Amino acid sequence: MTSKIDKGRGDLQTWERMKPRNYLDVDQNLQRVLQMYLGEGYNANWPMLHRAGEMAATRMDELARRSNLDDGLPELHRFDEFGERKEEVVFHSSYYDLGAMIWSTAVVAVLGEPGNDVLSAALAYMISHNGEAGHVCPVACTCGMVKLLQAVGTEQQRDHFLPLLLQTDYSRRMHASQFVTEIQGGSDVGANDCVAVPDPESGLYHLHGEKWFCSVADAGVFVVSARIEGAAEGTAGLGLFLVPRMINGVNNNFGIRRLKTKVGTRSMATAEIEFWGALADPIKPVEDGFKNLVGIVLDTSRGLNAVAACGMMRRAFLEAQTYAAHRLAFGQPIMEFPAVQEILARMTVLQQAATAATMRIMHMGDLVATGQAGEELAAARRIQVMINKYWTSTVCTDVVRMGVEVLGGNGTIEDFSVLPRLYRDSMVLENWEGTHNTLCAQVLRDFSQRQLHFFWIEELREAASRVDLPQLEPHRHRAIEELDAIAATIEQLLEGDPLEASLYFRPVVNRMCVLGAFVALLLELCWESGEQIESNKPMVVDLFHRLYVDRCDTGEVDDFPTLVKTLASSI
Ligand SMILES: Cc1cc2nc3c(=O)[nH]c(=O)nc-3n(C[C@H](O)[C@H](O)[C@H](O)COP(=O)(O)OP(=O)(O)OC[C@H]3O[C@@H](n4cnc5c(N)ncnc54)[C@H](O)[C@@H]3O)c2cc1C
């Protein structure tokens, strides 16, 4: 006879066995969003996407778990056996195996063709079901360098680096990192003190100074911000440089002071690094360093930060949803309890909203890159990237925490599920690539100094005008009403004291993000309707509208019990 304990253990084992074996197959929302944005490219790229979805749910999952164990974390090997300085970072074998798998998805390589941001994001989204996994940051940094070279690299820089950066073969690839932060200032990039001394003969520079947060410390090439010797204080005096790790097999005059012990992203090596005259190739014009850093390098990694947040939220939802179907309490699966259904419904609504907002941004990037849109869309996109990085990273932490709640005590146990690691990684997503206040401050500056709010407002107004289904008219009307209210508040803030504006701006940014996501969801719904696709999107839109756009209490939402029950169990 089966004891109660055996039954309880058996239920959990069943849960483990019933988990999806392909993250694309079970993500009907992602499939539809990709069909909408990729068009014919969806079928053409299906084998690549499907393979990534399968690997992410199976072997990548195992390797990410293994490489994140305490005894798998990166180690610093400073010198070789002959006493030569190497500054080598050595990882567990599972880390390299995982890297080989991730690079083979072509998540970076597809960027060799302009107009593939959505495709690359789709691959990164599935990979990120395993959290940062030690490789999502290297992928983002490498993508940032690819875009930097494509936009402003010299022919020589492009010819030398791009074939290596765009490799799918991990053993032959070069990957990149981005070193900006110094101990005296991360948000305050203008406080950078690392100096670049020109070498008039070669046109190259020598870097001296120290960087405080250097992720992907094992990279083959570093993108480094440094003050050009004698140049102005603040961000105006900063250049951006390519610093190869080795030159002719010899360390390029840098030292790793130590590897940091972090709350999340633990299997990826983040170091403190000092430069003792490292040879540095400038990205020209060198005085555009800060502009290129923010406009290309950080813009890319902020976009991918949001993609990672969406993938992590989706994994948290999958873990919680499948668990709720198998975990019994008081004689029934916990999925049957309306209060559990509400948590799951909120998780999927927020995840789909964040994915809608993020994929729309990726699509905007593709339109700009392929010449189908111009500077106005690029300006609107710049704002949307910054606010969306902030919003998706905070929503990610919330959603993962909800997932932990659904698993109860088991949700807090490191080897029971991926959720504790996702939670720790999500805290890093919130803090790197610009903290919340830094991003809000940059957006406020873009509004007051460059009037970019007009572009953001007009783009969203135009997008809302494309919501043309009669049954969605009340939603379209509400979106425009909210947009007008936000626009008025922005104007009001810009007229007042800038310091005071910064105090009141974050709630406005929250509303901007929610509205952006709402319009993105509505556009998806219009597309689905045109394709005669039936999905849970109308319910997602309804709940997102009432709970997050209108900020209603749940008691005010029509048919709330049916909505949460249906959404909790739908895929
Ligand atoms: C795991 C990890 C890896 C990282 N990897 C890299 C890397 O590879 N390369 C790199 O360059 N950096 C990296 N960073 C650094 C990261 O980008 C910085 O931590 C971030 O930019 C914030 O800088 P800071 O830590 O110095 O915080 P601070 O600038 O000291 O900020 C502290 C707090 O003050 C707030 N604040 C600062 N200025 C203002 C203001 N004007 N108004 C209101 N509030 C303000 C901030 O929002 C924050 O909440 C990494 C960070 C982490 C956690």
Side-chain angles (χ1 to χ4, degrees), residues 200 344 412 546:
L344 291 168
T412 69
R546 296 298 280 152

Side-chain angles (χ1 to χ4, degrees), residues 178-181 186-187 213-215 262 428 431-433 435 437:
Q178 312 166 354
F179 304 160
V180 180
T181 306
S187 313
F213 271 100
C214 303
S215 291
K262 296 169 286 177
V428 175
N431 282 290
W432 65 14
E433 311 301 348
T435 60
N437 282 347

Side-chain angles (χ1 to χ4, degrees), residues 9 29 47 58 86 126 190 208 255 263 268 282 360 369 371 375 428 450 454 494 514 533 537 546:
R9 215 187 304 281
N29 180 55
T58 54
K86 282 288 182 203
M126 288 186 282
H208 300 268
V263 64
M268 184 270 298
R360 196 169 89 84
E375 298 208 335
V428 175
R450 301 174 59 194
F454 292 125
L494 293 179
V514 167
I533 292 172
K537 185 94 10 111
R546 296 298 280 152

Side-chain angles (χ1 to χ4, degrees), residues 30 66 99 160 214 219 229 254 262 275 295 300 302 306 314 320 327 360 372 398 417 425 524 557:
L30 178 68
R66 179 63 193 92
H160 177 68
C214 303
E229 191 181 38
F254 76 93
K262 296 169 286 177
F275 295 105
T300 305
R302 285 169 179 168
R314 174 68 190 168
R327 176 66 172 176
R360 196 169 89 84
Q372 297 174 71
D398 291 346
S417 81
D425 285 358
E524 290 177 3
V557 179

Side-chain angles (χ1 to χ4, degrees), residues 152-328:
V152 291
T154 61
E155 203 178 332
Q156 199 184 9
Q157 287 167 340
R158 284 205 288 259
D159 288 350
H160 177 68
F161 286 110
L162 282 178
L164 298 167
L165 296 167
L166 293 167
Q167 267 288 343
T168 50
D169 180 346
Y170 192 66
S171 64
R172 290 161 59 200
R173 63 82 182 79
M174 178 180 271
H175 60 318
S177 51
Q178 312 166 354
F179 304 160
V180 180
T181 306
E182 298 180 13
I183 192 167
Q184 72 281 4
S187 313
D188 185 5
V189 177
N192 265 198
D193 199 38
C194 192
V195 65
V197 181
D199 174 357
E201 276 183 25
S202 65
L204 300 176
Y205 288 72
H206 291 280
L207 292 197
H208 300 268
E210 186 189 311
K211 292 287 175 184
W212 183 239
F213 271 100
C214 303
S215 291
V216 204
D218 55 312
V221 57
F222 316 141
V223 177
V224 185
S225 63
R227 188 168 309 288
I228 301 142
E229 191 181 38
E233 290 294 301
T235 53
L238 295 181
L240 206 52
F241 300 88
L242 306 182
V243 181
R245 178 182 206 84
M246 314 281 268
I247 294 182
N248 299 326
V250 177
N251 167 287
N252 184 12
N253 289 315
F254 76 93
I256 296 181
R257 293 165 64 90
R258 65 177 184 135
L259 297 182
K260 288 182 186 286
T261 309
K262 296 169 286 177
V263 64
T265 71
R266 294 189 336 145
S267 60
M268 184 270 298
T270 302
E272 294 158 23
I273 289 187
E274 54 192 340
F275 295 105
W276 311 304
L279 209 57
D281 189 8
I283 293 290
K284 289 178 182 164
V286 74
E287 57 277 13
D288 278 356
F290 186 68
K291 181 177 156 210
N292 289 329
L293 172 70
V294 175
I296 305 172
V297 178
L298 294 180
D299 177 89
T300 305
S301 40
R302 285 169 179 168
L304 284 168
N305 201 86
V307 171
C310 295
M312 285 163 57
M313 281 188 255
R314 174 68 190 168
R315 177 72 183 278
F317 173 70
L318 280 177
E319 293 285 310
Q321 188 194 45
T322 51
Y323 188 83
H326 290 97
R327 176 66 172 176
L328 302 190

